Amino acid sequence: MPRGTVPRHEFCFWLHDQTARLLVEASHSGQIEDWHEAVSTALSMLDESIDEGKILPALAESGGTLCVPMKIDIFVAVLSDTLHFIYEALKNLEKRKFNVAFSLLRKPLTENLIILSRLVADDDHFIRSFADGTFQKKQVIQIYRSQRIDLFNSVIGKLPVGSPFTGDLIDDIAFSKDAPNGLQIRMQQSMHLVTTRHPALLTPKLGINRIFFDEQGDENYSAYD
């Protein structure tokens, strides 16, 4: 790695490690198990004539405290998945395996980010749509830029401490095809050998994305800017 990139790369790893630590500590606190035990106990006390298959959708529809275990399960699973992808991407950036790294970043920083944001912004609405299937019937990331920015700002507004980020900045980093050091073009070109949908993504003549051209060098680390 270029010397100037190392501190920023280490900071990204530190953020990953802190998030992973918090996730582990939360799982060891016993609260998650307590929630699950309470729900399991309640289900075991149901009359045998009640269809258990209808209980979870009913819990989701009720919202609030009753479906906290379901919300926690989704949050923990998606966040854990996110961290695994980011860890492997950071390791590949150390090895200068840029195509692999940017491909790995695409899922957590687009799809996973939207799912986590929707869950945090309005957990009751999310869990209802998750249970009745309307969430699964829509493409996760196919929403307008203004909607994504509003979503990110809604999450930022719920943080207990101030944030150096804004919805616009997050959207530029992960979704904008025009941001000079954004990740979207890098991620798309790493995922696909040929891209055509945006002028900035056009694969040149006699070219295959990020294969034959001088995009294997230090300029890839400008993403850290």
Side-chain angles (χ1 to χ4, degrees), residues 127-138:
I127 204 68
R128 288 177 185 131
S129 67
F130 183 80
D132 66 21
T134 55
F135 167 80
Q136 290 87 343
K137 292 177 182 177
K138 296 180 180 179

Side-chain angles (χ1 to χ4, degrees), residues 24-76:
V24 170
E25 288 181 1
S27 65
H28 290 171
S29 69
Q31 293 187 30
I32 295 176
E33 288 78 6
D34 289 344
W35 281 113
H36 282 282
E37 184 177 347
V39 172
S40 298
T41 300
L43 291 175
S44 67
M45 297 172 65
L46 290 174
D47 189 287
E48 293 183 359
S49 63
I50 297 177
D51 184 358
E52 187 173 323
K54 296 179 180 180
I55 298 299
L56 291 180
L59 284 173
E61 183 61 31
S62 69
T65 304
L66 287 174
C67 56
V68 164
M70 298 172 67
K71 298 171 184 176
I72 290 176
D73 273 350
I74 297 168
F75 184 82
V76 169

Side-chain angles (χ1 to χ4, degrees), residues 17-214:
D17 293 347
Q18 293 303 306
T19 308
R21 178 182 61 80
L22 290 170
L23 193 60
V24 170
E25 288 181 1
S27 65
H28 290 171
S29 69
Q31 293 187 30
I32 295 176
E33 288 78 6
D34 289 344
W35 281 113
H36 282 282
E37 184 177 347
V39 172
S40 298
T41 300
L43 291 175
S44 67
M45 297 172 65
L46 290 174
D47 189 287
E48 293 183 359
S49 63
I50 297 177
D51 184 358
E52 187 173 323
K54 296 179 180 180
I55 298 299
L56 291 180
L59 284 173
E61 183 61 31
S62 69
T65 304
L66 287 174
C67 56
V68 164
M70 298 172 67
K71 298 171 184 176
I72 290 176
D73 273 350
I74 297 168
F75 184 82
V76 169
V78 176
L79 182 56
S80 177
D81 181 78
T82 300
L83 292 174
H84 283 301
F85 272 87
I86 290 176
Y87 175 88
E88 294 299 337
L90 291 172
K91 294 300 292 184
N92 276 279
L93 283 167
E94 292 177 352
K95 301 173 184 177
R96 306 179 77 86
K97 295 181 178 180
F98 300 114
N99 270 358
V100 177
F102 290 125
S103 296
L104 286 167
L105 286 175
R106 183 174 180 269
K107 180 175 181 283
L109 296 185
T110 54
E111 293 186 32
N112 291 30
L113 180 62
I114 293 293
I115 292 173
L116 289 169
S117 297
R118 284 180 167 172
L119 178 56
V120 173
D122 190 340
D123 54 343
D124 281 344
H125 178 269
F126 178 91
I127 204 68
R128 288 177 185 131
S129 67
F130 183 80
D132 66 21
T134 55
F135 167 80
Q136 290 87 343
K137 292 177 182 177
K138 296 180 180 179
Q139 289 291 328
V140 172
I141 62 175
Q142 288 185 355
I143 56 178
Y144 293 114
R145 170 177 164 82
S146 60
Q147 294 174 305
R148 291 194 302 265
I149 292 173
D150 288 344
L151 176 62
F152 297 146
N153 282 331
S154 175
V155 174
I156 291 169
K158 293 189 172 211
L159 297 176
V161 294
S163 172
F165 298 101
T166 64
D168 296 81
L169 177 59
I170 294 172
D171 196 77
D172 282 345
I173 292 171
F175 292 93
S176 174
K177 297 182 179 68
D178 300 313
N181 296 316
L183 293 170
Q184 180 62 212
I185 289 177
R186 289 177 167 94
M187 293 188 297
Q188 291 288 358
Q189 289 179 335
S190 296
M191 284 291 295
H192 309 288
L193 292 176
V194 176
T195 45
T196 60
R197 291 188 178 182
H198 188 276
L201 285 171
L202 290 177
T203 303
K205 296 177 181 179
L206 298 176
I208 296 177
N209 287 344
R210 308 179 68 81
I211 297 294
F212 294 126
F213 289 85
D214 297 329

